[in-house]
Amino acid sequence: MNCRAEVLEVSVEGRQVEEAMLAVLHTVLLHRSTGKFHYKKEGTYSIGTVGTQDVDCDFIDFAYVRVSSEELDRALRKAVGEFKDALRSSGSDGMGQISLEFYQKKKSRWPFSDECIPWELWTIKVNVVNLANEQERQICREKVGEKLCEKIINIVEVMNRHEYLPKMPTQSEVDNVFDTSLKDVQPYLYKISYQITDSLGTSVTTTMRRLIKDTLAL
Amino acid sequence: MLPYAMDTDLSSQDRKDLDKFIKFFALKTVQVIVQARLGEKICTRSSSSPTGSDWFNLAIKDIPEVTHEAKKALAGQLPAVGRSMCVEISLKTSEGDSMELEIWCLEMNEKCDKEIKVSYTVYNRLSLLLKSLLAITRVTPAYRLSRKQGHEYVILYRIYFGEVQLSGLGEGFQTVRVGTVGTPVGTITLSCAYRINLAFMSTRQFERTPPIMGIIIDHFVDRPYPSSSPMHPCNYRAGEDNGAVYPSVEDSQEVCTTSFSTSPPSQLLGPGKEGGVPPVPSQPAHGTQADQERMCTPLDGVHYSAATPSSSEDTETVSNSSEGKSGSPHDLLETIFIRKVGAFVNKPINQVNPPDSPETESPLQGSLHSEGSSGSSTGNTHDDFVMIDFKPAFSKDDILPMDLGTFYREFQNPPQLSSLSIDIGAQSMAEDLDSLPEKLAVHEKNVKEFDAFVETLQ
């Protein structure tokens, strides 16, 4: 199956990186999370309720909606924090990208471990700019806010194409499709990784350890 | 009979479900849009157990007045070809100028998707579309305007059903499509047309004043409407209690689907219905909302408690600032405005100031009120003097009763320290002098300990 890939690009100031990334990642995950499944007899299941909340950005004139789940928020903040630190400490021109990949697990026979088959990949390319004075920063606040509005519209447009989504799983298969480790919501299985582009233009791949519990066949 | 094309292929149960889904989707759409323009951050809680009252598996509160208005506009019909449900968002200044900002349209076209499963795929896609709506309502220009509403302008909404009217948006308006969902009877489309020419007012103009209340009222009668859709002067009467409680869930049949099946559709109905989806009367829904209110910003928590007393106070403050137009329709406007202000204000009523009054008056009014209440407690000479304008440095508008000015006044004259008063001071001084030799002797004995302590510090 082909993996659907979307790329978004943003230019931000250093202190805006975190909020901009969180805004995009949360918007994607809002659309890719459901309530918790509760399986009942005879193959039926009911779905819990997803709450939402508004988040105001401090460094950008922007607000977005995220799923009301502290666990999910923490996981994303951790990932984005590491990306931001890597960007800062790499000494590069401040270019990098962070990727959010949704995948399905396919059980393999022993002795092979499970396959992870991606079905959707979101990549956010970031270019960090340095600004000289407060006036430029103020303009940047507004401009980045407007850009992020455009990104949200792009994301929503992709989501509403109603392209491939994994089939709703049976109870035994649910962990191959969804991340069931959170207690209040259930996103599709995802992983976040990032790359920093150093000044020579080559990519230094740094894949983060998985943010979900990894079950190995072996 | 609704003019759906070729509906013979759809089973009657599916058809009923689809109609229900579309109806509740329309109602939830209105809730999301209006709540996004109230001027406050929205927060609802996720719940891992389905409650049976959360349509589309999303925690979207139902403001009963909004539901009522939406149902009134729909009048028992559903969006269909040529009959769209529209939510118009506009801005009204304190001088009475108004301007349409956005029109959100829920439309249906003829393109049918016969193969799609109603109870499962359509439902989930409608849920996805609501999530998209949540996201998109925060990115149009009206969102930021609505977060800053307060003294100088308010945001209003109007729901109508029928043909979409975009002429009020000015030239060059832009459209954003939120999304579409195909169904066997047509394709549902949700979009927003928004004004970009905010020529006569910029957002900067409204950044000076911090908003003290977020108001949405659902009518305005001072603009002509080109279309035939009826205007709704909300005819609440002053005597009518705010407890015109609108039922949030009317029939016991209006329960959302909470059971899904991974088995073929024929098995869905039996277990799903048996799955104990309870007939939901209004109480559990309110219960859920009450929980959400406790956790999050009290969106309309004051709504129910701000009954007639506050409304009458508002009458005095707001009607004083009326534009001087006479005539009963306008009085009706003012009356209705007042009622709604009481309904959605989330700050204590005595902070509501008439929009026309110059800003410098409000700190004065605030401090007068607070001085009135706390002045007596200090019981000092201030009572004999005329209150003057006292604006301490760095204090902001008086929002809280206990503000910087009050604090200054209360603590400007603290009581004397007892040890400094002469009589007591003299007594204790003599005692101190007497006990001095004893204390010195004790300290000399412990010299070694003190030295060791000093060593540890170095």
Side-chain angles (χ1 to χ4, degrees), chain B residues 49 130 259 280 318 340 434:
Chain B
S49 334
L130 273 177
S259 270
V280 180
V318 181
K340 296 294 186 171
D434 287 340

Side-chain angles (χ1 to χ4, degrees), chain B residues 17-249:
Chain B
D17 284 346
L18 184 60
D19 285 349
K20 207 161 60 158
F21 294 169
I22 295 176
K23 171 184 167 186
F24 278 93
F25 180 75
L27 296 177
K28 287 295 180 182
T29 294
V30 175
Q31 289 289 348
V32 169
I33 294 167
V34 172
Q35 288 176 29
R37 298 290 175 262
L38 281 175
E40 292 180 350
K41 283 163 74 163
I42 307 297
C43 172
T44 58
R45 205 192 332 202
S46 302
S47 157
S48 66
S49 334
T51 61
S53 60
D54 291 324
W55 275 93
F56 308 105
N57 310 117
L58 282 174
I60 297 171
K61 242 175 137 154
D62 283 321
I63 299 178
E65 274 190 21
V66 174
T67 305
H68 178 77
E69 289 301 320
K71 283 184 175 168
K72 221 166 69 169
L74 286 171
Q77 297 176 71
L78 292 176
V81 178
R83 284 204 318 268
S84 311
M85 189 188 75
C86 300
V87 181
E88 182 186 286
I89 300 290
S90 54
L91 176 152
K92 184 165 180 176
T93 66
S94 51
E95 281 100 42
D97 294 319
S98 65
M99 180 168 72
E100 273 178 44
L101 298 176
E102 302 172 321
I103 314 272
W104 296 84
C105 307
L106 178 59
E107 302 171 285
M108 182 80 106
N109 71 29
E110 286 154 340
K111 189 168 158 206
C112 304
D113 183 343
K114 296 269 162 218
E115 308 300 322
I116 202 168
K117 279 196 256 184
V118 170
S119 60
Y120 167 69
T121 310
V122 171
Y123 190 83
N124 286 334
R125 286 186 181 177
L126 289 174
S127 175
L128 196 70
L129 189 51
L130 273 177
K131 290 173 181 171
S132 297
L133 182 64
L134 281 162
I136 297 285
T137 41
R138 273 64 177 174
V139 305
T140 54
Y143 181 71
R144 290 189 53 206
L145 280 175
S146 69
R147 290 292 298 270
K148 296 182 171 122
Q149 65 184 299
H151 273 303
E152 301 206 21
Y153 65 91
V154 293
I155 303 293
L156 316 176
Y157 76 89
R158 177 174 83 100
I159 309 170
Y160 63 90
F161 190 69
E163 270 189 45
V164 182
Q165 302 151 17
L166 297 177
S167 52
L169 290 176
E171 282 182 18
F173 63 84
Q174 287 197 356
T175 313
V176 59
R177 193 161 84 160
V178 182
T180 62
V181 173
T183 77
V185 301
T187 298
I188 297 169
T189 311
L190 188 52
S191 60
C192 173
Y194 59 93
R195 169 187 284 272
I196 51 172
N197 179 18
L198 296 167
F200 81 87
M201 51 184 71
S202 68
T203 51
R204 299 213 173 275
Q205 192 177 329
F206 305 110
E207 277 168 15
R208 285 191 308 249
T209 327
I212 60 166
M213 57 190 178
I215 306 173
I216 286 196
I217 64 178
D218 60 352
H219 76 287
F220 36 95
V221 295
D222 55 343
R223 285 178 49 234
Y225 297 110
S227 79
S228 59
S229 75
M231 299 187 323
H232 298 281
C234 300
N235 44 4
Y236 300 95
R237 285 173 287 283
E240 216 177 87
D241 205 3
N242 203 23
V245 175
Y246 306 106
S248 52
V249 176

Side-chain angles (χ1 to χ4, degrees), chain A residues 122-141:
Chain A
W122 295 86
T123 303
I124 313 164
K125 291 194 170 158
V126 178
N127 178 30
V128 180
V129 297
N130 290 316
L131 299 177
N133 59 43
E134 200 52 42
Q135 195 188 10
E136 281 184 28
R137 283 200 189 96
Q138 183 57 35
I139 296 173
C140 190
R141 275 184 75 100

